[in-house]
Amino acid sequence: AGGCAALYCLRIKKQIGLILQEEKMKTTGLQLAAASLLTAFLMTAHAGETGVKVTPLGSHDGEFCRFDRALVFEDPDGTRILYDAGRTVRGTDDPRLGQIDAVLLSHVHGDHLGDKHQPEANAGTCAKPDFSVQATPNSNSVNIVVGKKAQFIVGGEMTSFFSRKVETAGGDLKQVKLVRFGAQRTVGGVTIASVPAVHSNGLNPGFLNEKIAGALRANGLTAYVGPPGGYVLTFSNGLVVYLSGDTGITAEQELVVNRFYKANLAVINIGDTFTTGPTEAAYVMNAMVKPKSVIASHANEKATEAGKLLSGTRTETFINAVEMPVHLPLSGVTMEFDGNGTCVTGCTQPSGS
């Protein structure tokens, strides 16, 4: 009886072992099927992923000109952000604007805030554009914010000032949003962080009522609206863009922009005298921010002719000194960047970079 019981137990054990082996095979099959489905899903998602579109809005079509600052960023989800409208965006009705969800302002100097603007496309020359349409006391930026019903992202002490400006111009003071250093806001699929810039930020009396403006002019002063700034934009496809604003070299470019935010595309101002010059800006890119790609900006010169880089320019000096690809912001030519900071369409890499 004891032997039969042992044999019976052995058979039972074998049957249990077969069952367990069969279940294990089923589990492995399910795991493989799940892995295959996940791979297919990721491949499909990647295939459908679109880049961030960057469109320069300069003074002359297809060129990089003296006062070009404005850029429109479009997230894959359709969110559109205008950076430093300045003088080259031709008011609210500029057809290049389209939908604008937010306007970013680095600081209040007239070539960024917009004390005036072009009357039409290509007015004047690339070296000396025609900015004959006055935008004071509102500013080009405020008029665009009101006309487009967009958010107005500012830092420093600018919120209360621009809230009044926007309300006076017919908008809602709640459109003006503060982002100070270390803070973030989200517009659509884009996260907007404020970072320091080393520059001045005096408001020209022309943006103020005449009583105050007259007193400031008589004393050779501008109005205080807090420190200037730059931005780091994080897009839904993973692209992280550093917008330097007007700045010199500052430690935060390495400590904050590189180490913390890990920017992989940079827009750096290279015009010298008022900002980093070409060699200083190149140092910032090579040794501090270390992005995958760079867009040159604020060159304060006619940098191109017929869309080609001119020799002997600050822009050429910058390009020759930078270790990563540099892309020229040719007005109206849309560039598209993937999540790693690589330009995938629309970029013409000039010789020397």
Side-chain angles (χ1 to χ4, degrees), residues 59-97:
S59 65
H60 287 69
D61 296 341
E63 306 290 1
F64 180 26
C65 295
R66 181 181 175 188
F67 287 99
D68 291 2
R69 282 89 168 108
L71 298 169
V72 171
F73 293 86
E74 183 174 335
D75 188 78
D77 76 352
T79 301
R80 287 171 58 84
I81 295 175
L82 172 63
Y83 167 61
D84 277 358
R87 297 167 177 163
T88 60
V89 178
R90 299 159 200 136
T92 303
D93 296 328
D94 190 326
R96 301 175 298 174
L97 285 174

PDB file of all heavy atoms in Angstrom, residues 59-97:
ATOM      1  N   SER A  59      12.667  91.467 -40.929  1.00  0.00           N
ATOM      2  CA  SER A  59      12.244  92.620 -41.717  1.00  0.00           C
ATOM      3  C   SER A  59      12.207  92.338 -43.216  1.00  0.00           C
ATOM      4  O   SER A  59      11.424  92.952 -43.942  1.00  0.00           O
ATOM      5  CB  SER A  59      13.161  93.812 -41.439  1.00  0.00           C
ATOM      6  OG  SER A  59      14.492  93.552 -41.880  1.00  0.00           O
ATOM      7  N   HIS A  60      13.059  91.423 -43.707  1.00  0.00           N
ATOM      8  CA  HIS A  60      13.159  91.173 -45.142  1.00  0.00           C
ATOM      9  C   HIS A  60      13.099  89.672 -45.429  1.00  0.00           C
ATOM     10  O   HIS A  60      13.855  88.890 -44.825  1.00  0.00           O
ATOM     11  CB  HIS A  60      14.446  91.787 -45.701  1.00  0.00           C
ATOM     12  CG  HIS A  60      14.384  93.281 -45.795  1.00  0.00           C
ATOM     13  ND1 HIS A  60      14.373  94.086 -44.677  1.00  0.00           N
ATOM     14  CD2 HIS A  60      14.295  94.113 -46.870  1.00  0.00           C
ATOM     15  CE1 HIS A  60      14.291  95.362 -45.052  1.00  0.00           C
ATOM     16  NE2 HIS A  60      14.239  95.396 -46.377  1.00  0.00           N
ATOM     17  N   ASP A  61      12.219  89.306 -46.323  1.00  0.00           N
ATOM     18  CA  ASP A  61      11.965  87.897 -46.623  1.00  0.00           C
ATOM     19  C   ASP A  61      13.245  87.159 -47.006  1.00  0.00           C
ATOM     20  O   ASP A  61      14.011  87.617 -47.862  1.00  0.00           O
ATOM     21  CB  ASP A  61      10.964  87.774 -47.776  1.00  0.00           C
ATOM     22  CG  ASP A  61       9.595  88.344 -47.426  1.00  0.00           C
ATOM     23  OD1 ASP A  61       9.312  88.497 -46.221  1.00  0.00           O
ATOM     24  OD2 ASP A  61       8.821  88.632 -48.361  1.00  0.00           O
ATOM     25  N   GLY A  62      13.456  86.023 -46.349  1.00  0.00           N
ATOM     26  CA  GLY A  62      14.576  85.167 -46.690  1.00  0.00           C
ATOM     27  C   GLY A  62      15.934  85.648 -46.249  1.00  0.00           C
ATOM     28  O   GLY A  62      16.957  85.081 -46.649  1.00  0.00           O
ATOM     29  N   GLU A  63      15.978  86.692 -45.403  1.00  0.00           N
ATOM     30  CA  GLU A  63      17.253  87.262 -44.964  1.00  0.00           C
ATOM     31  C   GLU A  63      17.348  87.292 -43.433  1.00  0.00           C
ATOM     32  O   GLU A  63      16.351  87.165 -42.726  1.00  0.00           O
ATOM     33  CB  GLU A  63      17.420  88.685 -45.499  1.00  0.00           C
ATOM     34  CG  GLU A  63      17.277  88.851 -46.994  1.00  0.00           C
ATOM     35  CD  GLU A  63      18.425  88.242 -47.799  1.00  0.00           C
ATOM     36  OE1 GLU A  63      19.351  87.650 -47.208  1.00  0.00           O
ATOM     37  OE2 GLU A  63      18.382  88.363 -49.035  1.00  0.00           O
ATOM     38  N   PHE A  64      18.580  87.467 -42.949  1.00  0.00           N
ATOM     39  CA  PHE A  64      18.845  87.712 -41.526  1.00  0.00           C
ATOM     40  C   PHE A  64      19.385  89.135 -41.435  1.00  0.00           C
ATOM     41  O   PHE A  64      20.517  89.415 -41.809  1.00  0.00           O
ATOM     42  CB  PHE A  64      19.851  86.694 -41.003  1.00  0.00           C
ATOM     43  CG  PHE A  64      20.217  86.844 -39.548  1.00  0.00           C
ATOM     44  CD1 PHE A  64      19.346  87.429 -38.622  1.00  0.00           C
ATOM     45  CD2 PHE A  64      21.442  86.385 -39.080  1.00  0.00           C
ATOM     46  CE1 PHE A  64      19.679  87.556 -37.290  1.00  0.00           C
ATOM     47  CE2 PHE A  64      21.795  86.511 -37.742  1.00  0.00           C
ATOM     48  CZ  PHE A  64      20.910  87.096 -36.842  1.00  0.00           C
ATOM     49  N   CYS A  65      18.544  90.048 -40.929  1.00  0.00           N
ATOM     50  CA  CYS A  65      18.830  91.484 -41.016  1.00  0.00           C
ATOM     51  C   CYS A  65      19.123  92.102 -39.652  1.00  0.00           C
ATOM     52  O   CYS A  65      19.008  91.461 -38.606  1.00  0.00           O
ATOM     53  CB  CYS A  65      17.670  92.204 -41.694  1.00  0.00           C
ATOM     54  SG  CYS A  65      17.433  91.707 -43.422  1.00  0.00           S
ATOM     55  N   ARG A  66      19.436  93.379 -39.699  1.00  0.00           N
ATOM     56  CA  ARG A  66      19.982  94.102 -38.552  1.00  0.00           C
ATOM     57  C   ARG A  66      19.118  94.039 -37.292  1.00  0.00           C
ATOM     58  O   ARG A  66      19.633  93.845 -36.184  1.00  0.00           O
ATOM     59  CB  ARG A  66      20.214  95.557 -38.957  1.00  0.00           C
ATOM     60  CG  ARG A  66      20.798  96.420 -37.854  1.00  0.00           C
ATOM     61  CD  ARG A  66      20.980  97.846 -38.318  1.00  0.00           C
ATOM     62  NE  ARG A  66      21.425  98.731 -37.257  1.00  0.00           N
ATOM     63  CZ  ARG A  66      21.503 100.047 -37.374  1.00  0.00           C
ATOM     64  NH1 ARG A  66      21.151 100.623 -38.522  1.00  0.00           N
ATOM     65  NH2 ARG A  66      21.908 100.776 -36.363  1.00  0.00           N
ATOM     66  N   PHE A  67      17.820  94.215 -37.422  1.00  0.00           N
ATOM     67  CA  PHE A  67      16.959  94.291 -36.240  1.00  0.00           C
ATOM     68  C   PHE A  67      16.096  93.045 -36.040  1.00  0.00           C
ATOM     69  O   PHE A  67      15.114  93.086 -35.296  1.00  0.00           O
ATOM     70  CB  PHE A  67      16.071  95.539 -36.317  1.00  0.00           C
ATOM     71  CG  PHE A  67      16.824  96.809 -36.066  1.00  0.00           C
ATOM     72  CD1 PHE A  67      17.251  97.609 -37.115  1.00  0.00           C
ATOM     73  CD2 PHE A  67      17.132  97.203 -34.772  1.00  0.00           C
ATOM     74  CE1 PHE A  67      17.948  98.782 -36.892  1.00  0.00           C
ATOM     75  CE2 PHE A  67      17.833  98.373 -34.532  1.00  0.00           C
ATOM     76  CZ  PHE A  67      18.245  99.170 -35.594  1.00  0.00           C
ATOM     77  N   ASP A  68      16.458  91.947 -36.659  1.00  0.00           N
ATOM     78  CA  ASP A  68      15.653  90.721 -36.535  1.00  0.00           C
ATOM     79  C   ASP A  68      15.819  90.104 -35.145  1.00  0.00           C
ATOM     80  O   ASP A  68      16.926  89.778 -34.722  1.00  0.00           O
ATOM     81  CB  ASP A  68      16.056  89.705 -37.600  1.00  0.00           C
ATOM     82  CG  ASP A  68      15.662  90.130 -39.005  1.00  0.00           C
ATOM     83  OD1 ASP A  68      15.099  91.234 -39.154  1.00  0.00           O
ATOM     84  OD2 ASP A  68      15.916  89.359 -39.949  1.00  0.00           O
ATOM     85  N   ARG A  69      14.704  89.975 -34.456  1.00  0.00           N
ATOM     86  CA  ARG A  69      14.666  89.330 -33.135  1.00  0.00           C
ATOM     87  C   ARG A  69      13.530  88.309 -33.037  1.00  0.00           C
ATOM     88  O   ARG A  69      13.651  87.293 -32.383  1.00  0.00           O
ATOM     89  CB  ARG A  69      14.444  90.356 -32.011  1.00  0.00           C
ATOM     90  CG  ARG A  69      15.705  91.166 -31.617  1.00  0.00           C
ATOM     91  CD  ARG A  69      15.842  92.406 -32.442  1.00  0.00           C
ATOM     92  NE  ARG A  69      16.825  93.349 -31.959  1.00  0.00           N
ATOM     93  CZ  ARG A  69      18.003  93.570 -32.551  1.00  0.00           C
ATOM     94  NH1 ARG A  69      18.363  92.848 -33.609  1.00  0.00           N
ATOM     95  NH2 ARG A  69      18.816  94.502 -32.099  1.00  0.00           N
ATOM     96  N   ALA A  70      12.390  88.607 -33.656  1.00  0.00           N
ATOM     97  CA  ALA A  70      11.149  87.864 -33.421  1.00  0.00           C
ATOM     98  C   ALA A  70      11.199  86.441 -33.979  1.00  0.00           C
ATOM     99  O   ALA A  70      11.659  86.211 -35.097  1.00  0.00           O
ATOM    100  CB  ALA A  70       9.969  88.611 -34.030  1.00  0.00           C
ATOM    101  N   LEU A  71      10.692  85.501 -33.165  1.00  0.00           N
ATOM    102  CA  LEU A  71      10.556  84.103 -33.568  1.00  0.00           C
ATOM    103  C   LEU A  71       9.196  83.593 -33.118  1.00  0.00           C
ATOM    104  O   LEU A  71       8.728  83.940 -32.027  1.00  0.00           O
ATOM    105  CB  LEU A  71      11.636  83.235 -32.926  1.00  0.00           C
ATOM    106  CG  LEU A  71      13.099  83.529 -33.249  1.00  0.00           C
ATOM    107  CD1 LEU A  71      14.015  82.737 -32.308  1.00  0.00           C
ATOM    108  CD2 LEU A  71      13.422  83.187 -34.696  1.00  0.00           C
ATOM    109  N   VAL A  72       8.566  82.749 -33.933  1.00  0.00           N
ATOM    110  CA  VAL A  72       7.354  82.045 -33.521  1.00  0.00           C
ATOM    111  C   VAL A  72       7.690  80.568 -33.369  1.00  0.00           C
ATOM    112  O   VAL A  72       8.236  79.946 -34.290  1.00  0.00           O
ATOM    113  CB  VAL A  72       6.209  82.217 -34.536  1.00  0.00           C
ATOM    114  CG1 VAL A  72       5.035  81.295 -34.180  1.00  0.00           C
ATOM    115  CG2 VAL A  72       5.732  83.664 -34.557  1.00  0.00           C
ATOM    116  N   PHE A  73       7.382  80.018 -32.190  1.00  0.00           N
ATOM    117  CA  PHE A  73       7.568  78.597 -31.919  1.00  0.00           C
ATOM    118  C   PHE A  73       6.206  77.910 -31.939  1.00  0.00           C
ATOM    119  O   PHE A  73       5.267  78.377 -31.285  1.00  0.00           O
ATOM    120  CB  PHE A  73       8.206  78.385 -30.545  1.00  0.00           C
ATOM    121  CG  PHE A  73       9.619  78.884 -30.453  1.00  0.00           C
ATOM    122  CD1 PHE A  73       9.883  80.215 -30.139  1.00  0.00           C
ATOM    123  CD2 PHE A  73      10.688  78.037 -30.673  1.00  0.00           C
ATOM    124  CE1 PHE A  73      11.188  80.690 -30.056  1.00  0.00           C
ATOM    125  CE2 PHE A  73      11.994  78.490 -30.587  1.00  0.00           C
ATOM    126  CZ  PHE A  73      12.248  79.825 -30.283  1.00  0.00           C
ATOM    127  N   GLU A  74       6.112  76.812 -32.662  1.00  0.00           N
ATOM    128  CA  GLU A  74       4.858  76.053 -32.720  1.00  0.00           C
ATOM    129  C   GLU A  74       5.095  74.634 -32.226  1.00  0.00           C
ATOM    130  O   GLU A  74       5.862  73.869 -32.803  1.00  0.00           O
ATOM    131  CB  GLU A  74       4.294  76.018 -34.134  1.00  0.00           C
ATOM    132  CG  GLU A  74       2.951  75.302 -34.205  1.00  0.00           C
ATOM    133  CD  GLU A  74       2.295  75.380 -35.565  1.00  0.00           C
ATOM    134  OE1 GLU A  74       2.592  76.345 -36.318  1.00  0.00           O
ATOM    135  OE2 GLU A  74       1.481  74.491 -35.879  1.00  0.00           O
ATOM    136  N   ASP A  75       4.425  74.293 -31.132  1.00  0.00           N
ATOM    137  CA  ASP A  75       4.505  72.957 -30.554  1.00  0.00           C
ATOM    138  C   ASP A  75       3.749  71.953 -31.428  1.00  0.00           C
ATOM    139  O   ASP A  75       2.835  72.337 -32.160  1.00  0.00           O
ATOM    140  CB  ASP A  75       3.893  72.983 -29.148  1.00  0.00           C
ATOM    141  CG  ASP A  75       4.097  71.691 -28.398  1.00  0.00           C
ATOM    142  OD1 ASP A  75       5.223  71.485 -27.893  1.00  0.00           O
ATOM    143  OD2 ASP A  75       3.156  70.882 -28.321  1.00  0.00           O
ATOM    144  N   PRO A  76       4.105  70.661 -31.369  1.00  0.00           N
ATOM    145  CA  PRO A  76       3.333  69.662 -32.111  1.00  0.00           C
ATOM    146  C   PRO A  76       1.837  69.668 -31.805  1.00  0.00           C
ATOM    147  O   PRO A  76       1.036  69.240 -32.640  1.00  0.00           O
ATOM    148  CB  PRO A  76       3.979  68.343 -31.677  1.00  0.00           C
ATOM    149  CG  PRO A  76       5.395  68.701 -31.402  1.00  0.00           C
ATOM    150  CD  PRO A  76       5.328  70.074 -30.787  1.00  0.00           C
ATOM    151  N   ASP A  77       1.444  70.179 -30.626  1.00  0.00           N
ATOM    152  CA  ASP A  77       0.013  70.226 -30.309  1.00  0.00           C
ATOM    153  C   ASP A  77      -0.680  71.466 -30.868  1.00  0.00           C
ATOM    154  O   ASP A  77      -1.876  71.672 -30.659  1.00  0.00           O
ATOM    155  CB  ASP A  77      -0.222  70.119 -28.795  1.00  0.00           C
ATOM    156  CG  ASP A  77       0.093  71.414 -28.036  1.00  0.00           C
ATOM    157  OD1 ASP A  77       0.649  72.360 -28.648  1.00  0.00           O
ATOM    158  OD2 ASP A  77      -0.213  71.481 -26.830  1.00  0.00           O
ATOM    159  N   GLY A  78       0.071  72.322 -31.586  1.00  0.00           N
ATOM    160  CA  GLY A  78      -0.516  73.513 -32.197  1.00  0.00           C
ATOM    161  C   GLY A  78      -0.332  74.793 -31.427  1.00  0.00           C
ATOM    162  O   GLY A  78      -0.636  75.888 -31.941  1.00  0.00           O
ATOM    163  N   THR A  79       0.157  74.718 -30.181  1.00  0.00           N
ATOM    164  CA  THR A  79       0.396  75.926 -29.385  1.00  0.00           C
ATOM    165  C   THR A  79       1.463  76.792 -30.063  1.00  0.00           C
ATOM    166  O   THR A  79       2.533  76.300 -30.422  1.00  0.00           O
ATOM    167  CB  THR A  79       0.869  75.558 -27.970  1.00  0.00           C
ATOM    168  OG1 THR A  79      -0.122  74.746 -27.335  1.00  0.00           O
ATOM    169  CG2 THR A  79       1.118  76.808 -27.129  1.00  0.00           C
ATOM    170  N   ARG A  80       1.160  78.095 -30.214  1.00  0.00           N
ATOM    171  CA  ARG A  80       2.080  79.008 -30.905  1.00  0.00           C
ATOM    172  C   ARG A  80       2.493  80.149 -29.967  1.00  0.00           C
ATOM    173  O   ARG A  80       1.638  80.824 -29.385  1.00  0.00           O
ATOM    174  CB  ARG A  80       1.424  79.562 -32.169  1.00  0.00           C
ATOM    175  CG  ARG A  80       1.332  78.516 -33.281  1.00  0.00           C
ATOM    176  CD  ARG A  80       0.488  79.000 -34.450  1.00  0.00           C
ATOM    177  NE  ARG A  80       0.969  80.225 -35.052  1.00  0.00           N
ATOM    178  CZ  ARG A  80       1.928  80.287 -35.982  1.00  0.00           C
ATOM    179  NH1 ARG A  80       2.500  79.177 -36.404  1.00  0.00           N
ATOM    180  NH2 ARG A  80       2.290  81.450 -36.506  1.00  0.00           N
ATOM    181  N   ILE A  81       3.807  80.334 -29.858  1.00  0.00           N
ATOM    182  CA  ILE A  81       4.372  81.310 -28.931  1.00  0.00           C
ATOM    183  C   ILE A  81       5.271  82.272 -29.695  1.00  0.00           C
ATOM    184  O   ILE A  81       6.183  81.850 -30.410  1.00  0.00           O
ATOM    185  CB  ILE A  81       5.160  80.601 -27.814  1.00  0.00           C
ATOM    186  CG1 ILE A  81       4.189  79.759 -26.969  1.00  0.00           C
ATOM    187  CG2 ILE A  81       5.897  81.613 -26.945  1.00  0.00           C
ATOM    188  CD1 ILE A  81       4.853  78.927 -25.906  1.00  0.00           C
ATOM    189  N   LEU A  82       5.005  83.575 -29.532  1.00  0.00           N
ATOM    190  CA  LEU A  82       5.810  84.625 -30.152  1.00  0.00           C
ATOM    191  C   LEU A  82       6.817  85.143 -29.128  1.00  0.00           C
ATOM    192  O   LEU A  82       6.454  85.514 -28.022  1.00  0.00           O
ATOM    193  CB  LEU A  82       4.910  85.766 -30.622  1.00  0.00           C
ATOM    194  CG  LEU A  82       5.598  87.039 -31.123  1.00  0.00           C
ATOM    195  CD1 LEU A  82       6.444  86.767 -32.373  1.00  0.00           C
ATOM    196  CD2 LEU A  82       4.564  88.125 -31.399  1.00  0.00           C
ATOM    197  N   TYR A  83       8.086  85.178 -29.542  1.00  0.00           N
ATOM    198  CA  TYR A  83       9.176  85.642 -28.679  1.00  0.00           C
ATOM    199  C   TYR A  83       9.713  86.964 -29.189  1.00  0.00           C
ATOM    200  O   TYR A  83      10.103  87.079 -30.347  1.00  0.00           O
ATOM    201  CB  TYR A  83      10.268  84.575 -28.664  1.00  0.00           C
ATOM    202  CG  TYR A  83      11.605  84.990 -28.080  1.00  0.00           C
ATOM    203  CD1 TYR A  83      11.714  85.410 -26.754  1.00  0.00           C
ATOM    204  CD2 TYR A  83      12.763  84.908 -28.844  1.00  0.00           C
ATOM    205  CE1 TYR A  83      12.947  85.766 -26.225  1.00  0.00           C
ATOM    206  CE2 TYR A  83      14.007  85.253 -28.318  1.00  0.00           C
ATOM    207  CZ  TYR A  83      14.097  85.679 -27.010  1.00  0.00           C
ATOM    208  OH  TYR A  83      15.314  86.025 -26.477  1.00  0.00           O
ATOM    209  N   ASP A  84       9.714  87.993 -28.323  1.00  0.00           N
ATOM    210  CA  ASP A  84      10.287  89.315 -28.609  1.00  0.00           C
ATOM    211  C   ASP A  84       9.868  89.857 -29.982  1.00  0.00           C
ATOM    212  O   ASP A  84      10.661  89.906 -30.932  1.00  0.00           O
ATOM    213  CB  ASP A  84      11.810  89.261 -28.496  1.00  0.00           C
ATOM    214  CG  ASP A  84      12.286  89.414 -27.046  1.00  0.00           C
ATOM    215  OD1 ASP A  84      11.438  89.590 -26.147  1.00  0.00           O
ATOM    216  OD2 ASP A  84      13.506  89.365 -26.813  1.00  0.00           O
ATOM    217  N   ALA A  85       8.622  90.322 -30.044  1.00  0.00           N
ATOM    218  CA  ALA A  85       8.052  90.819 -31.312  1.00  0.00           C
ATOM    219  C   ALA A  85       8.874  91.935 -31.928  1.00  0.00           C
ATOM    220  O   ALA A  85       9.045  92.007 -33.153  1.00  0.00           O
ATOM    221  CB  ALA A  85       6.625  91.303 -31.074  1.00  0.00           C
ATOM    222  N   GLY A  86       9.387  92.843 -31.092  1.00  0.00           N
ATOM    223  CA  GLY A  86      10.252  93.917 -31.569  1.00  0.00           C
ATOM    224  C   GLY A  86       9.622  94.792 -32.629  1.00  0.00           C
ATOM    225  O   GLY A  86       8.417  95.083 -32.607  1.00  0.00           O
ATOM    226  N   ARG A  87      10.409  95.188 -33.610  1.00  0.00           N
ATOM    227  CA  ARG A  87       9.971  96.119 -34.650  1.00  0.00           C
ATOM    228  C   ARG A  87       9.658  95.453 -35.978  1.00  0.00           C
ATOM    229  O   ARG A  87       9.097  96.099 -36.868  1.00  0.00           O
ATOM    230  CB  ARG A  87      11.081  97.168 -34.875  1.00  0.00           C
ATOM    231  CG  ARG A  87      11.372  98.024 -33.654  1.00  0.00           C
ATOM    232  CD  ARG A  87      12.668  98.807 -33.809  1.00  0.00           C
ATOM    233  NE  ARG A  87      12.911  99.682 -32.663  1.00  0.00           N
ATOM    234  CZ  ARG A  87      14.086 100.223 -32.370  1.00  0.00           C
ATOM    235  NH1 ARG A  87      15.147  99.976 -33.141  1.00  0.00           N
ATOM    236  NH2 ARG A  87      14.218 101.003 -31.321  1.00  0.00           N
ATOM    237  N   THR A  88      10.035  94.188 -36.129  1.00  0.00           N
ATOM    238  CA  THR A  88       9.892  93.544 -37.442  1.00  0.00           C
ATOM    239  C   THR A  88       8.555  92.840 -37.636  1.00  0.00           C
ATOM    240  O   THR A  88       8.196  92.510 -38.768  1.00  0.00           O
ATOM    241  CB  THR A  88      11.035  92.546 -37.691  1.00  0.00           C
ATOM    242  OG1 THR A  88      11.006  91.535 -36.683  1.00  0.00           O
ATOM    243  CG2 THR A  88      12.378  93.262 -37.680  1.00  0.00           C
ATOM    244  N   VAL A  89       7.821  92.588 -36.548  1.00  0.00           N
ATOM    245  CA  VAL A  89       6.438  92.114 -36.691  1.00  0.00           C
ATOM    246  C   VAL A  89       5.585  93.336 -36.994  1.00  0.00           C
ATOM    247  O   VAL A  89       5.609  94.319 -36.257  1.00  0.00           O
ATOM    248  CB  VAL A  89       5.941  91.403 -35.415  1.00  0.00           C
ATOM    249  CG1 VAL A  89       4.488  90.970 -35.585  1.00  0.00           C
ATOM    250  CG2 VAL A  89       6.818  90.197 -35.098  1.00  0.00           C
ATOM    251  N   ARG A  90       4.825  93.268 -38.087  1.00  0.00           N
ATOM    252  CA  ARG A  90       4.142  94.467 -38.602  1.00  0.00           C
ATOM    253  C   ARG A  90       2.757  94.639 -37.989  1.00  0.00           C
ATOM    254  O   ARG A  90       1.730  94.686 -38.678  1.00  0.00           O
ATOM    255  CB  ARG A  90       4.088  94.382 -40.132  1.00  0.00           C
ATOM    256  CG  ARG A  90       5.476  94.332 -40.738  1.00  0.00           C
ATOM    257  CD  ARG A  90       5.550  93.757 -42.122  1.00  0.00           C
ATOM    258  NE  ARG A  90       6.931  93.325 -42.369  1.00  0.00           N
ATOM    259  CZ  ARG A  90       7.270  92.186 -42.938  1.00  0.00           C
ATOM    260  NH1 ARG A  90       6.336  91.333 -43.346  1.00  0.00           N
ATOM    261  NH2 ARG A  90       8.537  91.876 -43.117  1.00  0.00           N
ATOM    262  N   GLY A  91       2.728  94.704 -36.665  1.00  0.00           N
ATOM    263  CA  GLY A  91       1.474  94.906 -35.957  1.00  0.00           C
ATOM    264  C   GLY A  91       0.639  93.647 -35.873  1.00  0.00           C
ATOM    265  O   GLY A  91       1.018  92.562 -36.337  1.00  0.00           O
ATOM    266  N   THR A  92      -0.543  93.802 -35.278  1.00  0.00           N
ATOM    267  CA  THR A  92      -1.445  92.673 -35.044  1.00  0.00           C
ATOM    268  C   THR A  92      -1.878  91.995 -36.326  1.00  0.00           C
ATOM    269  O   THR A  92      -2.122  90.780 -36.345  1.00  0.00           O
ATOM    270  CB  THR A  92      -2.688  93.173 -34.278  1.00  0.00           C
ATOM    271  OG1 THR A  92      -2.262  93.791 -33.064  1.00  0.00           O
ATOM    272  CG2 THR A  92      -3.622  92.028 -33.942  1.00  0.00           C
ATOM    273  N   ASP A  93      -1.976  92.741 -37.408  1.00  0.00           N
ATOM    274  CA  ASP A  93      -2.492  92.188 -38.663  1.00  0.00           C
ATOM    275  C   ASP A  93      -1.410  91.568 -39.541  1.00  0.00           C
ATOM    276  O   ASP A  93      -1.694  91.175 -40.677  1.00  0.00           O
ATOM    277  CB  ASP A  93      -3.214  93.293 -39.454  1.00  0.00           C
ATOM    278  CG  ASP A  93      -4.444  93.808 -38.716  1.00  0.00           C
ATOM    279  OD1 ASP A  93      -5.073  93.001 -38.001  1.00  0.00           O
ATOM    280  OD2 ASP A  93      -4.768  95.004 -38.841  1.00  0.00           O
ATOM    281  N   ASP A  94      -0.197  91.466 -39.045  1.00  0.00           N
ATOM    282  CA  ASP A  94       0.852  90.803 -39.819  1.00  0.00           C
ATOM    283  C   ASP A  94       0.405  89.376 -40.131  1.00  0.00           C
ATOM    284  O   ASP A  94       0.181  88.579 -39.215  1.00  0.00           O
ATOM    285  CB  ASP A  94       2.159  90.782 -39.006  1.00  0.00           C
ATOM    286  CG  ASP A  94       3.365  90.326 -39.818  1.00  0.00           C
ATOM    287  OD1 ASP A  94       3.207  89.462 -40.699  1.00  0.00           O
ATOM    288  OD2 ASP A  94       4.477  90.835 -39.568  1.00  0.00           O
ATOM    289  N   PRO A  95       0.236  89.019 -41.410  1.00  0.00           N
ATOM    290  CA  PRO A  95      -0.302  87.691 -41.749  1.00  0.00           C
ATOM    291  C   PRO A  95       0.591  86.539 -41.322  1.00  0.00           C
ATOM    292  O   PRO A  95       0.134  85.392 -41.237  1.00  0.00           O
ATOM    293  CB  PRO A  95      -0.437  87.751 -43.278  1.00  0.00           C
ATOM    294  CG  PRO A  95       0.512  88.813 -43.716  1.00  0.00           C
ATOM    295  CD  PRO A  95       0.521  89.824 -42.613  1.00  0.00           C
ATOM    296  N   ARG A  96       1.840  86.820 -41.029  1.00  0.00           N
ATOM    297  CA  ARG A  96       2.755  85.756 -40.603  1.00  0.00           C
ATOM    298  C   ARG A  96       2.454  85.260 -39.198  1.00  0.00           C
ATOM    299  O   ARG A  96       2.884  84.161 -38.820  1.00  0.00           O
ATOM    300  CB  ARG A  96       4.198  86.261 -40.674  1.00  0.00           C
ATOM    301  CG  ARG A  96       4.650  86.715 -42.045  1.00  0.00           C
ATOM    302  CD  ARG A  96       6.061  87.311 -41.996  1.00  0.00           C
ATOM    303  NE  ARG A  96       6.130  88.499 -41.155  1.00  0.00           N
ATOM    304  CZ  ARG A  96       7.258  89.140 -40.859  1.00  0.00           C
ATOM    305  NH1 ARG A  96       8.409  88.708 -41.350  1.00  0.00           N
ATOM    306  NH2 ARG A  96       7.235  90.228 -40.093  1.00  0.00           N
ATOM    307  N   LEU A  97       1.729  86.054 -38.416  1.00  0.00           N
ATOM    308  CA  LEU A  97       1.473  85.692 -37.027  1.00  0.00           C
ATOM    309  C   LEU A  97       0.531  84.503 -36.893  1.00  0.00           C
ATOM    310  O   LEU A  97       0.796  83.573 -36.133  1.00  0.00           O
ATOM    311  CB  LEU A  97       0.892  86.882 -36.263  1.00  0.00           C
ATOM    312  CG  LEU A  97       1.854  87.996 -35.882  1.00  0.00           C
ATOM    313  CD1 LEU A  97       1.089  89.159 -35.273  1.00  0.00           C
ATOM    314  CD2 LEU A  97       2.921  87.495 -34.918  1.00  0.00           C
TER     315      LEU A  97
END
